[in-house]
Amino acid sequence: AFKAAILIQQWYRRYVARLEMRRRCTWRIFQSIEYACEQDQIKLHNFFSYLIEHFTPSSSKERDFISRMFISGESFKEAELEKYCDYESMEVPDSYTGPRLSFPLLPDHATALLEAFKQKQQLHARYVLNLLHETRKHLKQLPNISHVSTCYSEEVTVCGDLHGQLDDLFLIFYKNGLPSPSKSYVFNGDFVDRGKQSLEILIVLFTFLLIYPKEVHLNRGNHEDHMVNLRYGFTKEVMQKYKVHGKKILKMIQNVFCWLPLATLIDQKVLIIHGGISDTTDLDMLEKIHRNKFISVLRGKKRKESNRNVEIQEINGESKVEADPAGNEAAPSLSSQPQPAQAPSMANRLEFSKWVRQTVQEQIEWCRRLADISESEEEELTSSSVVSLTDLDGPRWTRQEEWKQILDILWSDPMPQEGCIVNTVRGGGCYFGPDVTGKILEKYNLQFLIRSHECKPEGYEFCHNRKVLTIFSASNYYEIGSNRGAYVKLGPDLVPHFVQYQANKMAHTLTMTQRQGFLVALISRVEESAFRALREKLFAHTSALISAFKAYDKDNTGRITLSNWATAVESVLHLGLPWRMLRPQLVRSTADGMLEYKSWLDDLAMEQRSQEHIQSSLLEVIYRNRSNLETIFRIIDRDHSGLISFEEFHQTWKLFSSHMNIELTDDGINDLVRSIDFNKDGNIDFNEFLEAFRLVKQSQ
Amino acid sequence: MANLVDVRALMFPWMQDEESQPRLRASLGPRLLCLYRWHHDRAVAEIEKKIIEAFEVFDHECHKTVDVREVGSIVRSLGCFPTEAELHELLAKVEEEEPTGYIHLEKFLPVMTKVLLDRRYRPIPEDVLLHAFEALDENKCGYITKEELVKYLTEEGEPFTQEEMEDMLSTALDPETNTVRYRDYISMMIVDES
């Protein structure tokens, strides 16, 4: 019996260990895909910005396109904003049964809203816009860094990412109580995207912000950014819920996000930021910059600091310039724009590139000027403001430096090693080590940092010797059962107390005896999800994978070893996943340790065909400008042949890489081109181009 | 891995341990030796990659260390079925002189490579498992009562903790009869594995 018992125990423990391994692998898959996506999007955005900057417009239509593509994210001048997002003329029909807001808001309005959202009601667009206007007015008065003191409200509750998961917010309020004069809250960014109720979360948070302005504090997160929202679902959510007024709402929200404070300080001892810090983080700078200039933190990378004085004079001289370049409706009057000379014939490439460079310079200047005007939202082009611009006291920083401060705050992640390196996984911000943390804490006499930005299985996690706390409030973020959410409470002693939760009725009512059965089922389901996502990614890189496999199959047998398969896959996808562990789930049949890779890829393709997925992360950004498809097409089709060749795509790409000093794989762009080229004739004609967008549109 | 074993079995059936290598060198041509070495190295390289992968899954901070309590999971997910005693033996080899609670990859890798090369802690085949359950089923009626199973697994062998016992029961126990129908249970678990 002893032997028998041992055997059973032995076997059983192995089973449990395997489960644990599966759980962790699944987690890693989700995480790596999530970050890879973010990185893709930033890369592509940079690519298009660069493309636009260096494109020489040959017609007024294209000039309009440039200004709109680059500047459409900019803030309106105050008056234009009010006019465009006017709500007062909006009628609310009597049939509307949802909450009706009146300003100034009262606690009753908040409870009414919470009730309404629990009943899945929708707030009328008029009230949404009204709320957004009032929120913006309020936020404008706030400093970049909010200050909270525990001597007024004994305890402060800090919540992390919510990502549109309204149920989690309800849970937090249920467990912890609503905001009130005796209950302070700090919400540390990333309220929107991914979850399906991002707008409701914003409405609730803004409402409480206006009712209890001293007790409720919001920090900006990297997802409080319309460029990111385009990709991660918030834009779509708003447009779906508000078909008529969605655009206005989004425009207002853009102008609210840029006014969100960047950080919060508790008792001058605990710094709360969304992402993290870098070795150049400077709180003094952060306090002083004009945070609203950065509507999207994804922009502004390429701008070099120009000679401000020169520009100012030029602005002065062009008093006739229509100061509304951001107009979606009206095309800006671009009479000041330098006309490009006739392009020299294509025969002489050298001449051409010289001419390009010249005109490009002029275009850049022009773009920049335009953008600067639109951004100085409050400043009217009068001589007095010009004087104030030149009459500067205190330290001045380049726009580049200011931008980097904000980028680091919103996008960085901590790492265990010392130092500070570029965060290549996300494509923005840094990885900062314990030494960086130590320096910042010492410099500003702080006790520790609280940040969010990364999902953690238990909802919170310490690192850097308990000097950095990550708090994440969206439970079941990747899948049901993937992780808990948490919030942290700080009293005057600044000792953190955590409360964890999981917003899923099933997980909640589980008894001990059911735990493992549930766990197994859960892991299987989450795993399924993860592997589906992974197979999609593999499929999206089909052509790159084939080349990689062929490199290991010099004799062209059609087969490679499983070991080489793993190495090849990692070299293409760069996800850092344990491929050998995952192989059994990804590769169904092998013959004596070898894989027939073509049929494997065909199987993958068959799976994907039903979903008509084409590199959606890349194309969606293009799709954003679908109204200008023709122009985009022509931007890429340099020789104006009516066809985009692989060559042209490559050239543009190479130009980009060399100028931007950014690593871009040939494979990524190859994949994109090949997937668009339906008839596989080596070129993309305009029809194929359109077809690609039609499919993207279908999948939305 | 299969390649390595085949080569060894085919070419050197008399060779059971590494000490016979010198004999080997003397008796067989250098070409065969090369071939053997090449296969061996490749297999070792592949094994090492597998081990590193598994290790890294549990290495949160990318410090090339894992918590000592995770070593069991790592070893098991590499296909081994050690008993707790065997696991402790292994740990003794990979721990630091002054146990810090962490195991370093550089110590773990060679030890684990050898474990896999030697094919130690082999999986328990289904029929052996079945026999084990049958041994506990005194009346040979096809099931074990909850009380009996709990007694055996928490008192005999390398006892389960209460948590482990409850976990197992949650999937193994038939709540209506309060028994474990072990044949069904085994089949279900085996399917789950694949």
Side-chain angles (χ1 to χ4, degrees):
Chain A
F2 182 83
K3 260 195 172 159
I6 281 210
L7 261 170
I8 296 175
Q9 288 150 347
Q10 201 175 340
W11 164 83
Y12 179 78
R13 285 178 171 130
R14 200 244 156 186
Y15 175 78
V16 170
R18 273 255 313 155
L19 263 186
E20 178 63 18
M21 180 59 100
R22 280 164 70 189
R23 192 180 71 78
R24 283 172 190 257
C25 280
T26 308
W27 182 263
R28 291 278 295 260
I29 294 176
F30 274 130
Q31 250 195 339
S32 65
I33 291 184
E34 174 187 9
Y35 294 157
C37 268
E38 287 183 356
Q39 191 192 11
D40 269 350
Q41 205 226 348
I42 291 186
K43 267 194 204 149
L44 188 73
H45 171 75
N46 289 343
F47 170 54
F48 272 101
S49 302
Y50 175 82
L51 207 54
I52 297 309
E53 255 191 21
H54 290 71
F55 175 64
T56 22
S58 53
S59 78
S60 62
K61 184 164 176 235
E62 285 162 2
R63 266 183 265 129
D64 297 351
F65 171 69
I66 288 183
S67 57
R68 247 176 305 158
M69 200 160 170
F70 217 8
I71 294 162
S72 64
E74 291 306 320
S75 61
F76 282 77
K77 284 188 64 136
E78 191 77 32
E80 270 106 27
L81 193 65
E82 300 273 331
K83 196 174 106 192
Y84 177 64
C85 301
D86 164 60
Y87 54 88
E88 285 180 11
S89 56
M90 285 166 115
E91 292 260 328
V92 182
D94 291 332
S95 54
Y96 170 70
T97 52
R100 291 166 189 259
L101 304 180
S102 59
F103 293 79
L105 289 173
L106 299 168
D108 279 348
H109 291 120
T111 26
L113 270 173
L114 289 173
E115 259 319 298
F117 288 152
K118 284 200 180 121
Q119 311 293 332
K120 309 273 188 247
Q121 286 181 321
Q122 191 167 295
L123 186 64
H124 192 275
R126 181 209 166 103
Y127 299 123
V128 176
L129 286 168
N130 200 353
L131 175 65
L132 291 172
H133 272 273
E134 296 295 319
T135 306
R136 184 166 169 274
K137 261 201 288 193
H138 170 76
L139 288 176
K140 278 168 83 169
Q141 309 159 14
L142 298 181
N144 294 345
I145 303 184
S146 311
H147 289 264
V148 179
S149 173
T150 53
C151 60
Y152 293 128
S153 57
E154 294 112 37
E155 231 176 19
V156 180
T157 306
V158 182
C159 301
D161 295 23
L162 285 167
H163 280 303
Q165 299 188 184
L166 188 60
D167 285 340
D168 282 315
L169 187 58
F170 282 155
L171 239 179
I172 296 175
F173 285 159
Y174 175 71
K175 287 171 96 82
N176 199 45
L178 296 177
S180 70
S182 56
K183 195 149 279 240
S184 285
Y185 273 91
V186 177
F187 291 94
N188 198 12
D190 276 13
F191 318 123
V192 301
D193 279 330
R194 296 187 197 275
K196 299 270 183 291
Q197 291 165 296
S198 302
L199 190 54
E200 282 78 6
I201 288 199
L202 280 189
I203 294 173
V204 168
L205 291 181
F206 291 159
T207 303
F208 278 116
L209 175 74
L210 294 177
I211 300 176
Y212 302 111
K214 294 211 190 60
E215 286 81 24
V216 176
H217 306 269
L218 306 179
N219 280 348
R220 188 176 184 181
N222 64 310
H223 278 259
E224 273 69 59
D225 183 330
H226 70 281
M227 294 297 299
V228 181
N229 299 150
L230 276 166
R231 165 80 182 95
Y232 289 99
F234 181 48
T235 310
K236 203 190 329 185
E237 180 192 322
V238 174
M239 293 307 297
Q240 276 174 354
K241 288 180 178 167
Y242 292 92
K243 295 190 168 45
V244 177
H245 300 287
K247 270 185 126 179
K248 279 191 200 172
I249 294 179
L250 285 170
K251 197 73 197 167
M252 267 316 295
I253 288 179
Q254 263 179 47
N255 284 276
V256 170
F257 281 168
C258 66
W259 278 109
L260 285 169
L262 300 170
T264 303
L265 257 182
I266 302 185
D267 289 349
Q268 304 283 59
K269 287 272 161 221
V270 180
L271 179 66
I272 311 179
I273 59 259
H274 174 75
I277 53 176
S278 76
D279 53 358
T280 53
T281 294
D282 181 347
L283 290 186
D284 301 313
M285 194 193 299
L286 273 172
E287 279 195 312
K288 297 208 174 79
I289 61 182
H290 296 175
R291 67 181 189 270
N292 62 301
K293 287 197 297 194
F294 299 91
I295 303 262
S296 166
V297 182
L298 290 184
R299 285 196 59 246
K301 202 169 177 181
K302 293 151 290 308
R303 305 259 198 77
K304 297 192 193 69
E305 176 64 12
S306 58
N307 187 339
R308 283 216 152 219
N309 284 330
V310 172
E311 285 201 353
I312 289 162
Q313 282 161 28
E314 282 173 339
I315 292 174
N316 217 7
E318 291 161 16
S319 49
K320 285 265 167 53
V321 170
E322 181 70 44
D324 173 25
N328 280 335
E329 280 81 20
S333 91
L334 302 170
S335 48
S336 56
Q337 207 244 326
Q339 294 288 347
Q342 199 58 30
S345 80
M346 287 300 300
N348 191 343
R349 288 236 157 203
L350 215 54
E351 275 289 308
F352 181 67
S353 25
K354 236 180 45 186
W355 170 81
V356 163
R357 230 172 291 134
Q358 255 182 312
T359 11
V360 153
Q361 262 309 104
E362 295 172 22
Q363 296 302 324
I364 292 178
E365 280 305 314
W366 171 75
C367 271
R368 205 179 289 141
R369 240 181 286 139
L370 223 41
D372 275 347
I373 293 173
S374 69
E375 276 161 15
S376 53
E377 181 199 2
E378 302 300 317
E379 295 159 275
E380 287 171 333
L381 298 174
T382 63
S383 48
S384 55
S385 63
V386 168
V387 166
S388 67
L389 270 177
T390 49
D391 179 25
L392 309 158
D393 42 16
R396 284 292 297 172
W397 307 284
T398 64
R399 193 186 159 79
Q400 186 81 354
E401 287 170 329
E402 294 181 353
W403 170 80
K404 182 175 193 295
Q405 288 289 322
I406 299 192
L407 189 70
D408 288 341
I409 293 280
L410 298 187
W411 283 82
S412 300
D413 291 312
M415 66 173 177
Q417 300 90 347
E418 306 225 317
C420 189
I421 55 180
V422 171
N423 191 330
T424 45
V425 170
R426 292 206 194 248
C430 302
Y431 282 122
F432 63 97
D435 52 331
V436 178
T437 303
K439 281 208 194 85
I440 294 283
L441 292 181
E442 203 194 307
K443 181 171 176 192
Y444 297 107
N445 203 8
L446 303 169
Q447 270 183 27
F448 61 96
L449 303 177
I450 301 182
R451 44 90 63 176
S452 304
H453 199 39
E454 282 183 300
C455 183
K456 298 291 177 191
E458 293 298 315
Y460 73 94
E461 197 177 273
F462 278 107
C463 67
H464 293 189
N465 202 15
R466 289 183 84 90
K467 296 277 181 228
V468 174
L469 166 64
T470 302
I471 189 85
F472 195 83
S473 300
S475 66
N476 306 319
Y477 180 57
Y478 292 124
E479 250 285 3
I480 294 184
S482 65
N483 66 291
R484 292 198 168 112
Y487 56 87
V488 58
K489 298 158 77 83
L490 295 170
D493 56 1
L494 297 180
V495 171
H497 295 277
F498 298 96
V499 178
Q500 296 167 297
Y501 52 85
Q502 203 149 9
N504 176 15
K505 293 201 179 73
M506 269 206 318
H508 224 53
T509 58
L510 227 44
T511 64
M512 265 303 273
T513 53
Q514 295 167 306
R515 216 174 62 107
Q516 195 190 60
F518 180 69
L519 197 67
V520 173
L522 215 57
I523 289 181
S524 307
R525 178 142 50 96
V526 179
E527 223 180 15
E528 226 180 86
S529 223
F531 278 107
R532 210 180 316 132
L534 200 51
R535 281 196 288 268
E536 244 175 66
K537 249 211 168 284
L538 285 166
F539 168 70
H541 288 85
T542 300
S543 26
L545 284 171
I546 290 188
S547 326
F549 292 153
K550 285 218 169 100
Y552 286 106
D553 179 25
K554 294 272 158 58
D555 300 332
N556 225 355
T557 61
R559 286 140 52 93
I560 49 168
T561 67
L562 293 172
S563 169
N564 290 334
W565 172 85
T567 323
V569 172
E570 176 58 26
S571 73
V572 169
L573 289 192
H574 299 296
L575 288 176
L577 290 174
W579 293 104
R580 288 168 184 82
M581 298 245 111
L582 304 176
R583 189 202 30 90
Q585 303 277 56
L586 295 169
V587 175
R588 290 291 157 175
S589 53
T590 61
D592 44 270
M594 306 280 279
L595 167 68
E596 299 199 2
Y597 51 88
K598 286 226 174 74
S599 50
W600 175 66
L601 285 168
D602 285 338
D603 288 342
L604 276 182
M606 269 204 293
E607 241 185 82
Q608 301 299 322
R609 209 147 284 154
S610 49
Q611 298 168 43
E612 301 217 57
H613 248 117
I614 298 188
Q615 295 260 33
S616 44
S617 63
L618 295 176
L619 276 178
E620 274 174 24
V621 176
I622 305 178
Y623 179 59
R624 175 175 83 93
N625 298 284
R626 61 200 179 281
S627 53
N628 297 292
L629 281 180
E630 207 180 301
T631 317
I632 298 175
F633 186 84
R634 293 211 282 118
I635 289 172
I636 307 177
D637 175 23
R638 285 178 153 232
D639 64 0
H640 302 292
S641 58
L643 297 171
I644 297 176
S645 63
F646 281 21
E647 263 307 300
E648 281 166 328
F649 237 109
H650 257 279
Q651 272 177 18
T652 321
W653 203 247
K654 282 210 173 93
L655 233 184
F656 181 42
S657 325
S658 61
H659 280 249
M660 291 294 104
N661 215 25
I662 290 175
E663 255 186 69
L664 295 163
T665 62
D666 284 354
D667 291 337
I669 199 67
N670 271 341
D671 285 346
L672 179 61
V673 173
R674 286 202 184 111
S675 58
I676 300 179
D677 176 21
F678 284 123
N679 63 2
K680 307 284 172 241
D681 65 349
N683 285 306
I684 302 174
D685 62 40
F686 190 52
N687 285 329
E688 287 170 331
F689 207 63
L690 288 179
E691 184 70 6
F693 296 122
R694 187 184 68 79
L695 288 174
V696 170
K697 189 173 182 180
Q698 261 182 16
S699 73
Q700 293 211 330
Chain B
M1 188 53 181
N3 293 337
L4 167 67
V5 173
D6 289 346
V7 169
R8 282 174 78 176
L10 282 174
M11 295 167 79
F12 325 109
W14 62 86
M15 197 171 97
Q16 290 303 315
D17 56 339
E18 281 148 22
E19 278 145 16
S20 20
Q21 267 205 7
R23 216 189 314 148
L24 167 66
R25 245 177 248 138
S27 59
L28 288 172
R31 271 197 190 198
L32 288 172
L33 185 61
C34 256
L35 184 64
Y36 164 66
R37 281 251 176 80
W38 178 73
H39 268 283
H40 184 265
D41 289 345
R42 276 185 56 184
V44 167
E46 184 57 14
I47 287 176
E48 286 186 344
K49 284 195 197 129
K50 278 205 183 106
I51 296 173
I52 295 176
E53 255 189 12
F55 191 91
E56 282 179 347
V57 173
F58 287 88
D59 176 13
H60 305 275
E61 313 238 300
C62 304
H63 261 152
K64 302 258 190 284
T65 59
V66 295
D67 192 318
V68 65
R69 292 163 290 184
E70 313 270 34
V71 172
S73 300
I74 301 177
V75 173
R76 288 175 170 126
S77 49
L78 284 165
C80 300
F81 284 67
T83 62
E84 293 290 299
E86 288 170 333
L87 203 53
H88 281 127
E89 246 182 68
L90 189 98
L91 272 171
K93 290 192 199 157
V94 298
E95 262 179 340
E96 309 289 317
E97 287 84 39
E98 302 276 325
T100 57
Y102 285 101
I103 303 296
H104 286 269
L105 178 60
E106 42 185 31
K107 276 208 156 171
F108 183 71
L109 187 60
V111 175
M112 195 63 215
T113 307
K114 191 148 195 313
V115 165
L116 288 181
L117 275 177
D118 295 346
R119 305 176 120 213
R120 264 185 255 161
Y121 317 141
R122 294 275 75 212
I124 298 168
E126 194 176 327
D127 49 351
V128 172
L129 189 60
L130 190 57
H131 281 316
F133 273 103
E134 282 175 349
L136 299 181
D137 177 13
E138 288 166 352
N139 304 327
K140 308 284 171 251
C141 40
Y143 62 82
I144 309 179
T145 67
K146 175 179 165 190
E147 289 72 30
E148 277 176 350
L149 191 66
V150 171
K151 178 158 122 17
Y152 282 126
L153 295 181
T154 55
E155 292 176 19
E156 303 269 358
E158 292 174 332
F160 272 169
T161 62
Q162 189 181 11
E163 194 177 317
E164 284 176 311
M165 194 67 245
E166 279 175 6
D167 274 347
M168 185 192 210
L169 284 173
S170 68
T171 36
L173 196 65
D174 173 9
E176 287 175 26
T177 58
N178 242 10
T179 62
V180 175
R181 308 195 75 82
Y182 47 85
R183 269 185 193 272
D184 297 337
Y185 178 53
I186 292 176
S187 333
M188 180 180 78
M189 298 290 260
I190 303 285
V191 169
D192 240 353
E193 282 275 292
S194 53

